Amino acid sequence: MRQRGWQHGGVYESPVSQAPSVSPGRHPNDPEPVLNTKILAAQSLSMIAVVLSPLVGGFFAATVALQLVRQGEKDVRDSDGFMLGGGRVARIRRRAKLALGVSTIAAVFAVCVVVLWLLQSLLSEGASFGGDTV
């Protein structure tokens, strides 16, 4: 249905005459599928965790990422297709677990370095451990 527009004397399509395109099985008033924000936040945190993992700071970001991805996966499953991002869950978990592993190795390495440094400083000062002090 064409109507005469009052602006510029032009012709425009009436919004009533256009039927929305709807895929089979979907109601026209259903919202468009969107990416789950928890999964998006978990993806960002897992990337930050990988970068910070050698400095042990990635441990906390990876832990939060794993919690968010668990909640986001549940939200996507319960949304009946209106939330997207379920395909990213495995990659996010893998990246966060990698960051946890690297952070743990970095923390163990740091503790070993400190213990060895303390032992060296004690032994270099001539500390005796129960021997003769003559």
Side-chain angles (χ1 to χ4, degrees):
M1 164 184 213
R2 293 207 181 258
Q3 297 178 349
R4 195 117 174 94
W6 60 275
Q7 293 178 338
H8 310 294
V11 176
Y12 65 90
E13 288 285 327
S14 170
V16 178
S17 66
Q18 296 175 351
S21 62
V22 177
S23 63
R26 261 188 92 191
H27 191 274
N29 293 334
D30 285 345
E32 289 298 315
V34 293
L35 182 62
N36 187 303
T37 55
K38 289 180 184 177
I39 290 182
L40 186 61
Q43 183 177 9
S44 300
L45 276 172
S46 69
M47 287 184 215
I48 291 169
V50 168
V51 171
L52 294 178
S53 62
L55 306 173
V56 185
F59 183 83
F60 303 107
T63 305
V64 173
L66 285 173
Q67 292 296 320
L68 280 175
V69 80
R70 183 174 53 98
Q71 294 171 5
E73 183 184 27
K74 181 183 179 298
D75 290 347
V76 168
R77 195 174 347 139
D78 294 343
S79 72
D80 292 329
F82 293 110
M83 286 189 188
L84 305 175
R88 300 179 183 198
V89 169
R91 275 180 286 160
I92 296 169
R93 280 197 177 125
R94 194 175 13 216
R95 201 178 300 134
K97 288 179 182 181
L98 171 73
L100 282 174
V102 172
S103 293
T104 303
I105 291 170
V108 168
F109 179 75
V111 167
C112 288
V113 167
V114 169
V115 167
L116 290 175
W117 178 75
L118 287 173
L119 283 174
Q120 180 191 13
S121 66
L122 283 175
L123 293 176
S124 67
E125 291 178 4
S128 85
F129 296 104
D132 261 349
T133 57
V134 182

